Amino acid sequence: MDPEQLFLDRFKPSSEAEACWLKHILSFVTQQLCPLLTDPAPPAAHDILTGAVRPDLCVSLSVCVVKTLLENTSVTHTLPVSYRLVSVSELVSKQHLACVGNLSWSTTQQRAWTKEAELSLPGNKALPRVNLLLIGCLREGRGGELRLMDSSGSLRCECLSPSPRWLNHPIFLPHWNYIPHNALGQDESGGCVEVVSSPVLLCPGPEPGLAAGAGAGAGPSRAVGVREAGALLHNRVRGQRVSVCGQVGSVCPLLVVAGTTFFFFTLTEERQSVPVLVKDSSRLSWSQCVCVGQSVCVTALRVCVLRGWRGNNILSVTDQSEIHTNYTPTRTPLKDTHTESDTQPSTVLHADVDSFEEAEPARDIMQSSVRLKKARVISYQGMVTEVVSEGAGLYVVDRKVGLCLAYQPSLRRTLRAGDCVELHNVHFLYQPCPDFLPIMLCACLRSSLRVTGFSRVGAPQRDSTCPGDGALPRLLLEKNMGVSEYLWTCHLSSRLSRSLSPSVLQQQHCVCVLSWRLMEFVWRGRGVRGRRDIYSEMLEEPHTCPLTQYSVDPAVSQYISVSELCRSLLSDCWSSVSLSSLLPPDGSSLTRSEINAALAWSFRTSLSSDPQNSPHLGETLGRRPLLLVGLLELPAQTSENKHTMQLRDGTAAVTCVVTETSGEEEGGQRAAFNTAWIGCLVCVHQFTMVTERFLQSDFPSYQHLDKDQFITHKHCIVYLQFSLDHLHILSPSVAMVTHLRQRGVESEGDVTEGEQPEEEGRKRRKSEEGPASAVAVTTGPVSGASRPCAFMVFRVEQKEGVAWRNDPKNGPMTDREMGREEKKVVLMLSGVSSRWFPLLQPGCFYRLVATNTQDPSVLTGYDVSGRSGVELHTDSTLQVRSDWRFHTLTRPLLLPTCRQALSPTVLSVSEVLDCSSELVCFQGLVCDRISLNNRTSDSGHTNIGVRLTMCDRNGRSLQVYLDLRHTPYPPGLLPGNTLLLSAFQRRLSRSGNVYCSYLPVSSITVVSLGDTRSAPPPPPPMMHLGLWALGREQMSNVGQVKGHVVCFLFLQLQWSCSLCGSVYTQSCSSSQCRSTSSVFQSKAKLVIDDGTGEAHVWFSGALVRPLLGLADSQWEGLQRALRVKGHIRVYPRGRSLVSDADDSLLHFLLCVCSSDVVCRPLSLTCRTHNNQRPEEMRRFSRGDRDFVTRVTPPLQLTCLTVTPDVT
């Protein structure tokens, strides 16, 4: 009879649909499954798997398939016609989404399963169900992997608890997941089948527990225990085979060394253990069959010597070996096998891991900021809830425990969110890295990971935080760094992949390599380990591995993107400050105009290396040293700051005030001048964050500072200050590679392709002028480039001039490039070309390259035309075009004659005070800054009038007035910074004091960065009053004076209206003012004698109370007593007490002014009064004669600070 009819008669289909379904079953088994049974079968295959394909075999196998399906379906009264068999090739080619198949599910069961899956991992969708059936043969593939095969192809197969008896037999999968190759967690072509429940054999197999067919050697009946096997290791007998029974203590991962794949597992009995080596290709699948805690028996083992492990003997599997297991995973809770030895794991369930948090600090080895800890070895069960970085081997288990698998070979099946795992012999680490979860589990080569439940959800697509082929683990294997360093690098790699610009991330491993390079810089001198001994790590007791000991550094540097930094600084600009804190100590006594002037400008600085002292930084920046990574660039076209460079990453750009170490002065600084830094990818590891606040307000008094309605406008700017010495180059520009090569320093790191694209600048005009030098124009390609160009070399003498020379791009100068002609040239930079202004510094040599031309005349400049008969003493002018380039020529690139060129003359503050020049270029330290008005400039900034107080090392000071109405706002004008002021006008005030003012041709350059908190400005010079009054002392308007109080000349205490300044009693005394707020003001004038002369010194505000020697309570009582009267004036003249009234308060003040407490030695810091009276002629009469003499008026001073003289 026809086999098909026989098959149909067996099941008697009740409908055409059932008949078609049965025919499809028979056809599928005949075409896809039976051909596999005729192939030469492995030794363990059953006899029915040999021979030709017989029709009765196909029918019987089809009958077995249908019976198996009926036994597993939820529908009992009919055939499952809604399901169909699918071949491996069809599944791979047509099923592009992850899915689940389960024949036994009812609709209710499926809904319950879906709900449970989505509740376990909120935000994820459960795998969709498909009505597909999978049958095939389970075969062993390369490296011990299992593959499901039919005649159309094969598919990798993962089982929870594989059994050796499943191999080489036809099976049916009742419950399975399919993860295609393009789904998350699966990189291999063809995808993977996850066998959720045990397969059903479709034909009889060998006896349970046998991994191979019967062979020669010792059998299970003659098996010995672990203790006896350990004795055999010391007495090796050639050709001896032994069977060993024991409990699996550890299962090491599969390793490939020198082309050989192998793994170890250990058999234990009480405290004894023996290692077993498996390297036979047909038994590598045992790595999936054995698990920790199982009782197994392995036959036909031989004793051999393991080279590389101190010559110790081990047991090795032979080609006759069999393994006998219980075939079922251990479902009961694991027994606690923890001992005092750190090599024995302690069992920890998913709810017990927090108990180790309290005990970890007690295991510190050294007490310091960087501590070394010992890791504890434990076992753990839990569910993977997050895949942090698949390529880096980082996961999160149970939402609170980190898992690091980087110290093991990469998993054949990558973990997915929702997988249930069982970990043995893993290392428990507490707070190894502040950027990760505090509790971390790390697996070494002795650790084992077994998936006990496959994920039920399809994880959402996410951006990879590390290349999928595991660049970081490969670097870890090569460098053998500690786990703390590795975790920090992984976090940095994740952050950089999201913050760097796409142009930097062109190469596949760029982020990982950059992160590793930065880690080696940050952790330099720490974390370096010796060569990793894999055999000792897997087998030796006591156990040692790279995870046994780890470092804990809570203050390790923290990476932050530019946008995060700017947002944090801007958000904290006003919220973290109280307006009253911006006022001087006597702020409560200031008038309306004084308060608003004091609030007009303020600043705040924070050090990246000392965030503990910057509580205003907020939670975003944390309390760890900060790191920034980005490209150094010239200012962009849209940038408001044209004076500085900028640091840019893929999120934002920030203005940077940059200096570098001066080669002429040890430890000195100078403004950045080297154009080779443009386009370099750098890490800034030490910098100062600056926030400048600008406030327009109309506060009536101190009491109204909490009322926002009096603020008319406010804004702030943020920028960075750092030295180029605090940068670490991660990827140099082409020009930087040349610069480092010329210095004899080998460049490390990748070279970026070309230089960064040009940034357009806002139109503005800058002129550079200086002494002439030899001119020689050269044409030709630049550094081998195909474009023609003309180029020349010049030396900037000042920000108003250049000296010309010539040279190709940034190679060394040659003798032929030295010319004879000398002239001066004005270099004009406007529009886009003005962006080069921050790097053009006096005294430096540059090469100007004009591209796309070989006409040298474009670089010769043009003369200014004048009227006939008029001789013009002007220099040639050269307009720099937008596509021209500047290249810095550092000292090694210059000819010896150029290296000896004199630096431009830069005066000190003292020299400016003593000289008579009208136009000066000087350098000084900013010791004070105030705003002079509240108007708005063309660039949108307020406080366009600025007064800087500059001083030098001698303490002499000079005031500089800046008018910033028509220039971009220059950052960096902060107390503590040193500035170079070029082309400023030196002027004399009406009182004879020297000051400087800003001109349209003036320029300001920050040459040195400072911090007033760590290095206060030098004190003013000590002055003698007699010589100071005659002008014989060094000209200075601020100085220190030590003298004795001779007498009081004047004392005034007054309650004043905060708006108009009139006397305030119960109300303002002015009829036109309706103010209801008042301030208490005090003023005093006394005579100071230092032995060389006398001076009249004015005191005001907070200085009057300590001058009178009154306590705070006395001063407050004095203010209350004066409330009714409103004011009082006292005029003591020597010992003769004269006043304008007669009351008890007056007598009290007279007594205070004449007491010994007041008439005492003082040390003052004073500034000369603006209204110094000139010498005057006086007539004296003596008897009948009159005398006329010239009398010098007393020196008028204003006290700035006062301290008692203790000398």
Side-chain angles (χ1 to χ4, degrees), residues 773-776 818-823:
S773 299
V775 174
M818 295 296 296
R820 298 180 179 179
E821 182 183 359
E822 294 185 355
K823 64 179 181 179

Side-chain angles (χ1 to χ4, degrees), residues 728-885:
H728 179 66
I729 301 177
L730 297 175
S731 183
S733 64
V734 175
M736 180 58 71
V737 173
T738 305
H739 170 67
L740 296 176
R741 186 181 299 116
Q742 294 294 338
R743 291 176 51 190
V745 178
E746 294 184 359
S747 174
E748 296 184 359
D750 301 330
V751 178
T752 55
E753 295 294 332
E755 297 187 42
Q756 295 303 307
E758 174 180 355
E759 298 287 349
E760 300 293 333
R762 188 159 57 99
K763 285 188 177 181
R764 61 192 288 261
R765 179 180 181 271
K766 289 293 177 183
S767 64
E768 321 253 339
E769 181 178 344
S773 299
V775 174
V777 179
T778 308
T779 61
V782 180
S783 295
S786 59
R787 294 186 301 172
C789 62
F791 39 84
M792 62 185 67
V793 174
F794 62 90
R795 180 175 186 265
V796 178
E797 295 294 333
Q798 290 182 355
K799 285 280 186 172
E800 298 81 34
V802 296
W804 297 88
R805 287 182 178 84
N806 181 38
D807 196 35
K809 200 174 180 182
N810 57 347
M813 294 181 64
T814 58
D815 293 332
R816 70 179 180 86
E817 295 174 311
M818 295 296 296
R820 298 180 179 179
E821 182 183 359
E822 294 185 355
K823 64 179 181 179
K824 293 183 180 181
V825 178
V826 176
L827 195 64
M828 305 291 297
L829 297 98
S830 61
V832 176
S833 63
S834 64
R835 65 196 186 106
W836 294 97
F837 182 76
L839 291 176
L840 299 179
Q841 306 299 346
C844 300
F845 285 87
Y846 301 88
R847 178 176 289 110
L848 177 61
V849 179
T851 57
N852 300 320
T853 182
Q854 287 187 326
D855 182 10
S857 63
V858 299
L859 297 175
T860 57
Y862 58 89
D863 295 329
V864 179
S865 60
R867 297 180 180 178
S868 59
V870 178
E871 182 180 0
L872 296 178
H873 297 279
T874 61
D875 303 322
S876 298
T877 302
L878 178 63
Q879 179 71 44
V880 178
R881 300 178 185 176
S882 61
D883 59 341
W884 291 4
R885 299 288 184 271

Side-chain angles (χ1 to χ4, degrees), residues 235-547:
N235 301 296
R236 181 186 178 193
V237 178
R238 183 177 297 273
Q240 183 183 19
R241 301 293 184 265
V242 62
S243 297
V244 181
C245 293
Q247 189 178 51
V248 179
S250 65
V251 182
C252 301
L254 281 170
L255 297 179
V256 180
V257 177
T260 301
T261 305
F262 64 94
F263 78 95
F264 288 95
F265 67 92
T266 60
L267 296 177
T268 62
E269 183 181 353
E270 296 180 353
R271 293 182 177 273
Q272 298 293 323
S273 65
V274 291
V276 179
L277 169 65
V278 182
K279 68 174 183 177
D280 188 88
S281 59
S282 63
R283 281 144 179 89
L284 291 177
S285 60
W286 290 9
S287 62
Q288 303 180 58
C289 299
V290 295
C291 59
V292 175
Q294 276 187 332
S295 296
V296 300
C297 178
V298 187
T299 64
L301 296 174
R302 67 183 180 92
V303 179
C304 65
V305 177
L306 179 62
R307 296 178 181 178
W309 186 45
R310 304 179 184 178
N312 291 337
N313 295 341
I314 61 170
L315 295 176
S316 177
V317 170
T318 64
D319 54 359
Q320 292 86 27
S321 296
E322 304 169 358
I323 185 169
H324 298 258
T325 68
N326 55 12
Y327 295 101
T328 56
T330 304
R331 299 292 185 183
T332 57
L334 301 175
K335 296 181 179 180
D336 189 356
T337 58
H338 174 67
T339 63
E340 293 301 321
S341 172
D342 287 331
T343 62
Q344 296 295 328
S346 60
T347 300
V348 179
L349 299 179
H350 61 274
D352 301 331
V353 74
D354 292 333
S355 61
F356 288 105
E357 180 177 343
E358 299 296 332
E360 277 302 308
R363 303 175 66 85
D364 295 349
I365 293 180
M366 50 184 296
Q367 299 295 330
S368 63
S369 58
V370 181
R371 298 173 294 171
L372 294 179
K373 288 186 175 183
K374 284 187 177 181
R376 178 175 295 185
V377 180
I378 67 170
S379 296
Y380 189 83
Q381 294 174 336
M383 183 177 69
V384 177
T385 52
E386 180 185 352
V387 179
V388 179
S389 176
E390 180 183 302
L394 295 176
Y395 306 87
V396 175
V397 182
D398 296 333
R399 296 185 177 87
K400 60 181 179 181
V401 179
L403 176 61
C404 176
L405 304 179
Y407 287 83
Q408 283 191 342
S410 58
L411 297 174
R412 184 167 42 229
R413 173 198 175 273
T414 54
L415 296 178
R416 296 188 294 119
D419 285 343
C420 295
V421 295
E422 183 177 286
L423 302 164
H424 293 278
N425 298 299
V426 291
H427 295 265
F428 175 91
L429 286 68
Y430 185 66
Q431 293 182 337
C433 177
D435 294 314
F436 274 84
L437 293 171
I439 299 174
M440 290 294 300
L441 300 179
C442 299
C444 66
L445 293 182
R446 183 176 290 192
S447 308
S448 62
L449 181 147
R450 187 169 68 93
V451 178
T452 59
F454 293 120
S455 174
R456 303 179 182 184
V457 300
Q461 192 68 28
R462 58 178 174 81
D463 295 332
S464 176
T465 56
C466 181
D469 57 356
L472 287 178
R474 289 203 304 273
L475 288 170
L476 176 64
L477 179 63
E478 178 184 349
K479 303 295 185 178
N480 194 23
M481 298 296 288
V483 64
S484 301
E485 296 88 321
Y486 180 76
L487 294 176
W488 188 87
T489 307
C490 292
H491 176 75
L492 178 64
S493 176
S494 172
R495 296 295 310 277
L496 290 180
S497 65
R498 293 190 293 265
S499 62
L500 290 183
S501 60
S503 60
V504 180
L505 305 177
Q506 293 176 353
Q507 300 180 5
Q508 181 183 9
H509 302 315
C510 181
V511 174
C512 295
V513 174
L514 290 178
S515 302
W516 194 273
R517 189 175 299 143
L518 186 54
M519 179 273 295
E520 291 179 326
F521 169 75
V522 173
W523 297 76
R524 55 192 180 277
R526 295 158 47 190
V528 180
R529 302 171 183 267
R531 184 178 178 182
R532 190 174 178 183
D533 190 340
I534 61 173
Y535 297 116
S536 297
E537 184 175 332
M538 291 185 288
L539 305 174
E540 196 163 296
E541 295 291 349
H543 173 65
T544 56
C545 71
L547 302 171

